[in-house]
Amino acid sequence: MGRGILLTANLPQLQNLIKRDPAAYKEEFLQQYNHYNSIRQLFLISPDDDNAAHLRELVAFIAQVAVCYPKETVDFPSHLSSLVLEHYGALTQDTRKTLLHNLVILRNKNVISSIDLLKNLFPLLPRTTSSSLRAFIRKTILSDIRTANLRTKNHKLNRAVQAMLFAMIERGMDADVLGDKGKLRASPNSEDAMWAVILTKELWRKQTWSDAKSVSIVALGCFHPVVKVQSASLHFFLGSDEDKEDSDDESDQEVDIKALHHRREINKKTRSADKKLQKRLNAAKKKKNKPSESTPNFPALQLLNDPQSFAEKLYDNLSRYDRRFSLDHKILIMQLLSRVMGSHKLSVLPFYTYILKYLTYHQLRVPAILVALAQSVHDLTPPDVLTPVVRKLAAEFVHPGVGSEVIAAGINAIREVCRRQPWAMEEDLLGDLVEYRKSRDKAVTAAARGILQLYREVNPGMLKRRERGKDASIGMSTGRQPLPFGHSADAAVDIEGLSLLEDHFKKLRQDETGEMEEDDEAGWKDWDVETDSSESESQGWIDVSDGGEDLKVSDSEDEKETASAQARDKPKDVSEDTQDNRISSLATTKILTPADFALLNDLRIKAATEAVESGGGSKAKRKLAALEASKKAAAGDDSADAFISENDILGPRKKAKADYAERVASIEKGREGREKYGSLKGKKKKETPSSSTNREKARNKPIMMILSSGAVRGKKKASLREKQRKLRAHIERSKKAHH
């Protein structure tokens, strides 16, 4: 083959030959590379269309064969980077796209590293105005980072990218906060910060990044001067992302089912097209049935660095720019602040003073504000700070001058606050709230009963005697009192139920080694422990009020029978307390793994089940229910139950009038399992479908139409002879029918 055909117009053929034998065609490649340098310099002087077209062809050619000549093309990636970054405004859209595509090709061929590629792509995201080019840049960034972290975490790349994202957010942190009231004015660095937050959120959603540093990037965005960046960062922690366009998945886009069917009817009918259509329809149906409830981003909340400082900065941002932020944005900040305070048990006391002005029943979005208030309270919140809040709630929401829904919301909000800090309630106010259980409205009654049941459990002494209930009264008679604020129960000396796990391991070792017998000393040691614990338990049973008479202990047979009867009444409680009093040494000799704790929970549930089956009473049943609930919460995603929602505040409500979408959904649900959607008149008890007969239609005619018909008027005008003939014919037909 002659060398004369290897001209500029034959670059694809030269590319093919170079890939087969790079050494043989090195001279031709150098000729084209020198031609590329000349065209590039001419393009920088006058970027016209002819030079741009030649440049695009040569760049595509050199990018494909650069791996064959690494020494000769060592400056080629830097040429492309300078063209893209320094002369971006002078490039046409086709030239920009070609340069970026060839940079990606160089990365795929390992000519440049991921960090070099990302350094060129990150500055272009806020600058480009083409939606297709922006989508390509974004998809390239995300796929490159995801591929680098596919098998193992690429910490070097992650640190470099996270440093770039931090720098993108920090560029505009010194600007003034403009707020979101009125016309929005964007900062010149707001797009950089916005893209940094979007990319971090997407990498977190794909589980490519799950470390504290990525959370710190979004946490820094919560304090950005631009409200749009703040809102995106707040939604990340709240788990309520509304901007579905941030996702680069095709499955996240809405699928128009009608358009798919219409396209199928028009296009050519093939089996492959049918399979593709059915696949997309199944994906759309699966996405439609998937629940779209938003839940808080608990891993991100737990990975916050210095949550106390983060919460204080959030409150400072909220109070300082109160007049500049809209109500919706302030509620977002309140919700995040309350969730951080509740999950980490923080105290930002000025927040309760700030929120007082929003606690009115006519306030817009007041259920969301009440939710934020309740979530911010925990058992370490001082009751003195919460008492004015509870008073304000009762004064604004719970009085005869408002509707029943307002009263129910107020009582529910007070209940949620007091459930977390019972000492915030006053005794007189509690008595007034409990009286609402006699209301005729279902929601108010349920709310009042809820707060009554709460204080029966946590502090029955604040209730009147007739309102305490049986269990609470018995508990108070035995001297059981709630712990005051700031006091804690006795310090734990052992993990609850750890002795069960120790016995289980001991049994497994015995089964493996075949040593079923232990030495006498160990056997007596266990026996002594059980005897001492049972004696202490019997002493506990003796210390009971018996009407003022002194209890006499003797060894008579009658009293022994009485004692044995008492032991039969509560045998399981004694064994449970014995097991609880026994201190295990397993925690000091073995490091417990999560599997060990899961096994411990199963053993505790098994022991509690045996206690219930042997007649342990209500105490054993409550213990079993609590253990099963904790296991269910640990096995599933309990993030949705950790915080309350607006429905918990509003309580049960009357069924609202269904809108159009709900009515259509109800109609479609009723059509399931039916072959035909039309009327069934005239089709019953027939082999072939048919319409209703004239006789059936006449039966359903209105009475006024029947009265004016010819048949009825003819009956009225009939002579006596005609009536006799019709009656005789009716009698004959009846006789034939009977025979």
Side-chain angles (χ1 to χ4, degrees):
M1 183 181 293
R3 300 271 179 152
I5 65 172
L6 301 177
L7 304 175
T8 307
N10 295 323
L11 287 179
Q13 189 174 3
L14 178 60
Q15 173 185 325
N16 185 23
L17 294 173
I18 288 176
K19 288 183 177 179
R20 293 182 179 181
D21 191 0
Y25 294 92
K26 183 175 182 180
E27 183 179 350
E28 285 76 7
F29 170 76
L30 292 176
Q31 181 182 357
Q32 297 298 334
Y33 191 74
N34 293 331
H35 183 49
Y36 151 75
N37 285 326
S38 302
I39 293 295
R40 181 174 61 86
Q41 293 174 3
L42 289 175
F43 178 78
L44 294 178
I45 297 173
S46 60
D48 54 0
D49 293 338
D50 294 336
N51 292 332
H54 287 302
L55 181 66
R56 289 197 295 268
E57 292 177 0
L58 290 169
V59 165
F61 165 71
I62 297 174
Q64 290 290 340
V65 298
V67 68
C68 300
Y69 307 103
K71 294 182 180 180
E72 288 77 6
T73 59
V74 65
D75 297 330
F76 179 68
S78 61
H79 293 167
L80 299 186
S81 301
S82 62
L83 282 172
V84 170
L85 297 177
E86 298 176 7
H87 306 279
Y88 184 81
L91 302 177
T92 61
Q93 184 175 354
D94 293 337
T95 306
R96 295 171 187 169
K97 193 171 184 180
T98 302
L99 294 177
L100 291 177
H101 272 286
N102 287 285
L103 278 173
V104 175
I105 290 174
L106 293 177
R107 168 66 192 100
N108 294 336
K109 294 179 179 293
N110 290 324
V111 177
I112 60 175
S113 63
S114 294
I115 299 177
D116 296 333
L117 175 64
L118 297 177
K119 284 181 180 179
N120 294 317
L121 295 181
F122 272 118
L124 300 180
L125 269 178
R127 293 177 62 182
T128 182
T129 56
S130 172
S131 60
S132 60
L133 186 60
R134 185 167 53 243
F136 169 74
I137 294 173
R138 174 183 171 177
K139 185 177 181 180
T140 303
I141 292 174
L142 295 174
S143 61
D144 191 68
I145 298 175
R146 195 180 306 137
T147 305
N149 292 273
L150 195 58
R151 294 185 178 179
T152 58
K153 294 293 182 182
N154 192 338
H155 297 289
K156 182 180 179 181
L157 176 64
N158 292 339
R159 285 196 299 267
V161 175
Q162 288 167 351
M164 286 188 279
L165 295 176
F166 267 117
M168 292 171 68
I169 295 180
E170 288 175 346
R171 286 193 195 110
M173 292 296 292
D174 297 334
D176 295 332
V177 177
L178 303 177
D180 56 346
K181 286 187 176 180
K183 187 177 181 181
L184 289 175
R185 293 169 291 176
S187 171
N189 292 323
S190 62
E191 292 296 327
D192 292 352
M194 190 64 195
W195 277 111
V197 173
I198 288 174
L199 293 175
T200 307
K201 288 164 61 176
E202 189 67 23
L203 290 169
W204 178 277
R205 191 176 71 86
K206 296 292 184 181
Q207 295 299 315
T208 305
W209 286 354
S210 57
D211 55 344
K213 200 166 185 179
S214 54
V215 174
S216 301
I217 296 174
V218 188
L220 183 62
C222 294
F223 310 110
H224 198 273
V226 179
V227 176
K228 186 178 179 181
V229 180
Q230 284 189 26
S231 179
S233 304
L234 294 172
H235 279 299
F236 168 74
F237 288 105
L238 296 175
S240 57
D241 284 332
E242 298 173 358
D243 45 349
K244 294 297 182 184
E245 66 272 8
D246 288 349
S247 177
D248 63 331
D249 263 353
E250 295 179 358
S251 60
D252 293 341
Q253 300 175 359
E254 292 294 334
V255 179
D256 192 352
I257 299 178
K258 291 184 179 179
L260 291 176
H261 284 292
H262 180 67
R263 195 180 304 123
R264 179 69 188 120
E265 292 175 359
I266 295 175
N267 296 341
K268 185 178 179 181
K269 301 340 186 253
T270 59
R271 290 185 178 180
S272 61
D274 290 337
K275 291 180 180 179
K276 291 179 182 178
L277 174 65
Q278 190 61 38
K279 186 176 180 180
R280 297 195 67 179
L281 291 176
N282 293 337
K285 184 178 180 181
K286 185 178 180 180
K287 181 183 176 185
K288 184 179 179 181
N289 296 332
K290 185 179 179 180
S292 61
E293 298 180 358
S294 61
T295 56
N297 196 345
F298 280 86
L301 290 176
Q302 297 298 327
L303 289 175
L304 280 172
N305 182 27
D306 194 2
Q308 179 68 39
S309 300
F310 178 77
E312 291 175 355
K313 288 180 181 179
L314 272 179
Y315 172 72
D316 185 54
N317 204 22
L318 176 64
S319 59
R320 180 182 298 179
Y321 305 109
D322 181 67
R323 296 179 181 272
R324 300 185 187 181
F325 292 151
S326 64
L327 178 63
D328 293 337
H329 190 69
K330 286 188 284 189
I331 289 177
L332 281 179
I333 299 177
M334 289 183 196
Q335 288 177 342
L336 178 56
L337 175 59
S338 65
R339 286 177 178 176
V340 173
M341 292 170 62
S343 60
H344 291 278
K345 294 190 176 182
L346 308 177
S347 294
V348 185
L349 302 183
F351 172 69
Y352 302 106
T353 307
Y354 170 83
I355 206 172
L356 280 176
K357 62 182 179 181
Y358 295 103
L359 299 182
T360 56
Y361 69 91
H362 51 76
Q363 172 67 48
L364 293 176
R365 297 194 60 189
V366 69
I369 297 174
L370 294 176
V371 167
L373 168 65
Q375 288 178 159
S376 66
V377 181
H378 48 84
D379 54 351
L380 300 181
T381 306
D384 298 340
V385 182
L386 297 175
T387 301
V389 178
V390 175
R391 287 181 193 159
K392 181 71 178 296
L393 287 173
E396 290 288 340
F397 291 85
V398 188
H399 59 84
V402 296
S404 58
E405 292 183 356
V406 178
I407 297 176
I411 298 178
N412 286 329
I414 294 173
R415 184 196 71 226
E416 292 297 333
V417 171
C418 295
R419 183 167 67 87
R420 292 162 170 79
Q421 182 49 270
W423 295 103
M425 176 64 71
E426 295 175 328
E427 189 171 350
D428 297 338
L429 179 59
L430 178 61
D432 295 339
L433 296 177
V434 168
E435 290 297 326
Y436 277 91
R437 72 184 188 278
K438 302 176 184 177
S439 174
R440 295 183 178 180
D441 188 80
K442 181 180 178 181
V444 177
T445 304
R449 288 177 178 173
I451 198 170
L452 174 63
Q453 185 63 29
L454 171 66
Y455 274 90
R456 280 178 175 175
E457 296 175 359
V458 298
N459 194 357
M462 296 182 67
L463 296 169
K464 296 179 182 178
R465 184 181 295 272
R466 64 175 181 273
E467 297 169 349
R468 292 173 183 169
K470 180 180 178 182
D471 294 338
S473 300
I474 293 175
M476 291 185 64
S477 64
T478 57
R480 188 179 64 189
Q481 294 293 335
L483 291 173
F485 173 71
H487 292 251
S488 61
D490 296 336
V493 295
D494 193 13
I495 300 175
E496 188 175 0
L498 191 60
S499 56
L500 296 172
L501 186 63
E502 185 179 7
D503 295 340
H504 178 73
F505 287 155
K506 187 181 297 184
K507 184 178 180 181
L508 290 179
R509 287 194 299 269
Q510 290 175 354
D511 294 341
E512 291 177 359
T513 58
E515 297 176 359
M516 300 299 297
E517 296 182 359
E518 296 181 358
D519 54 344
D520 295 340
E521 184 178 356
W524 280 108
K525 184 177 181 181
D526 294 338
W527 176 259
D528 292 339
V529 171
E530 294 179 358
T531 306
D532 294 339
S533 58
S534 61
E535 287 177 359
S536 62
E537 182 61 32
S538 64
Q539 292 174 2
W541 279 101
I542 293 173
D543 191 10
V544 177
S545 176
D546 58 347
E549 297 179 0
D550 295 332
L551 185 63
K552 297 180 181 179
V553 181
S554 69
D555 295 333
S556 64
E557 295 295 333
D558 295 337
E559 292 184 359
K560 287 183 180 179
E561 292 177 0
T562 305
S564 62
Q566 291 179 356
R568 283 194 303 270
D569 290 339
K570 295 197 76 145
K572 208 57 182 178
D573 291 345
V574 175
S575 62
E576 286 182 357
D577 292 337
T578 302
Q579 191 71 26
D580 293 340
N581 292 335
R582 176 184 162 190
I583 298 177
S584 174
S585 61
L586 184 63
T588 60
T589 58
K590 183 182 185 300
I591 298 177
L592 299 178
T593 63
D596 294 335
F597 282 106
L599 178 60
L600 175 60
N601 291 332
D602 294 339
L603 293 174
R604 291 181 63 192
I605 291 175
K606 181 179 179 181
T609 305
E610 294 175 356
V612 171
E613 292 176 354
S614 60
S618 59
K619 180 180 178 181
K621 293 179 181 179
R622 287 195 300 268
K623 184 175 181 180
L624 176 61
L627 290 173
E628 290 178 346
S630 62
K631 181 181 179 181
K632 184 178 179 181
D637 185 11
D638 58 343
S639 59
D641 300 330
F643 291 133
I644 62 176
S645 63
E646 294 186 14
N647 293 329
D648 298 327
I649 296 294
L650 296 176
R653 290 165 289 169
K654 296 180 180 178
K655 186 177 180 181
K657 186 177 180 180
D659 56 4
Y660 177 75
E662 293 176 349
R663 292 198 300 271
V664 170
S666 177
I667 292 171
E668 291 179 353
K669 185 178 180 181
R671 287 176 177 175
E672 293 178 357
R674 291 174 52 185
E675 297 180 358
K676 299 291 183 180
Y677 298 152
S679 174
L680 296 178
K681 288 183 178 180
K683 301 177 184 178
K684 297 179 179 178
K685 299 181 181 180
K686 292 185 179 181
E687 296 180 358
T688 59
S690 64
S691 61
S692 58
T693 62
N694 291 335
R695 191 163 189 170
E696 291 175 344
K697 293 175 182 176
R699 228 184 274 135
N700 296 326
K701 282 186 177 180
I703 186 62
M704 299 305 297
M705 184 182 292
I706 297 296
L707 291 177
S708 59
S709 64
V712 175
R713 284 184 296 179
K715 287 181 181 180
K716 291 180 180 179
K717 295 179 181 180
S719 63
L720 180 62
R721 182 64 180 169
E722 291 175 350
K723 292 180 180 179
Q724 287 177 348
R725 188 168 58 250
K726 289 182 180 180
L727 179 61
R728 191 175 295 113
H730 173 69
I731 293 172
E732 292 295 331
R733 285 195 302 271
S734 300
K735 289 180 180 179
K736 291 179 181 179
H738 285 297
H739 292 288

